[in-house]
Amino acid sequence: EAGVTQSPTHLIKTRGQQATLRCSPISGHTSVYWYQQALGLGLQFLLWYDEGEERNRGNFPPRFSGRQFPNYSSELNVNALELEDSALYLCASSLGRAIAKNIQYFGAGTRLSVL
Amino acid sequence: AQTVTQSQPEMSVQEAETVTLSCTYDTSESDYYLFWYKQPPSRQMILVIRQEAYKQQNATENRFSVNFQKAAKSFSLKISDSQLGDAAMYFCAYRSRNDMRFGAGTRLTVKP
């Protein structure tokens, strides 16, 4: 069974551009989570989608947005890119939406570099 | 908002020895889970161990065990008989019905 897949692996953009990152969850998982992992700053929670709806959002500006499609895959969009947006963006998926015990399974991440 | 604190940015351990990674958290909720995740240099994050707040018994998975002190809001990870493959970033995570937080991580080095 395929795990969580993210594309692209690497993405290079210039300041002011827009970036789109994609995530396909494990089959049967309805929840998708996005995290930003900047160098030395640990994992920062960005967004949580379940069954097509945004369930929770981390402390990030509105230029970070996303959506979840009917097949539960998800897209993270970052508008008006800034240099400090350079980071590894991790996607995770899990079963259900409000079950705290559900384990999150992570993808390998997308490395976004903003020049 | 709930916070998760890992006070040790880096730790090192000799192969075959035991090491303990610390984690504290802050919450006003009663129903939650705590997790330790491992991120090897290859980047893929994987679950190490999980603890339910209602269970007093500490979780154990082979060489990995936790010391869960609910009143103190402490959740440390003990790795016994450390192996070279244990070298990674370790993240403590808190999860409740509508919230989740990760700590900043502890980088574990295993010396041969």
Side-chain angles (χ1 to χ4, degrees), chain A residues 2-7 22-26 34 74 91 106-110, chain B residues 44:
Chain A
V4 177
T5 57
Q6 292 186 245
S7 63
R22 296 180 176 82
C23 173
S24 292
I26 290 173
W34 287 96
S74 178
C91 173
F106 286 80
T110 293
Chain B
Q44 198 99 22

Side-chain angles (χ1 to χ4, degrees), chain A residues 33 37 56 101 104 106, chain B residues 33 37 39 44 50 98:
Chain A
Y33 314 81
Q37 188 176 20
N56 205 349
K101 69 179 181 180
Q104 294 184 39
F106 286 80
Chain B
Y33 280 75
Y37 284 89
Q39 187 181 38
Q44 198 99 22
R50 173 178 61 179
N98 293 306

Side-chain angles (χ1 to χ4, degrees), chain A residues 6-82:
Chain A
Q6 292 186 245
S7 63
T9 304
H10 294 94
L11 190 58
I12 300 174
K13 294 285 186 178
T14 56
R15 198 168 49 182
Q17 286 189 314
Q18 178 196 35
T20 298
L21 289 64
R22 296 180 176 82
C23 173
S24 292
I26 290 173
S27 178
H29 287 188
T30 62
S31 277
V32 171
Y33 314 81
W34 287 96
Y35 297 90
Q36 182 194 65
Q37 188 176 20
L39 195 61
L41 292 182
L43 223 60
Q44 304 295 318
F45 167 67
L46 265 166
L47 290 160
W48 169 18
Y49 291 97
D50 184 80
E51 298 187 4
E53 294 186 19
E54 183 179 302
R55 298 297 179 186
N56 205 349
R57 182 183 179 85
N59 189 25
F60 280 83
R63 58 191 186 81
F64 286 84
S65 66
R67 54 180 172 167
Q68 187 177 32
F69 299 99
N71 66 353
Y72 304 118
S73 67
S74 178
E75 200 172 81
L76 173 68
N77 295 294
V78 188
N79 294 320
L81 283 166
E82 300 178 2

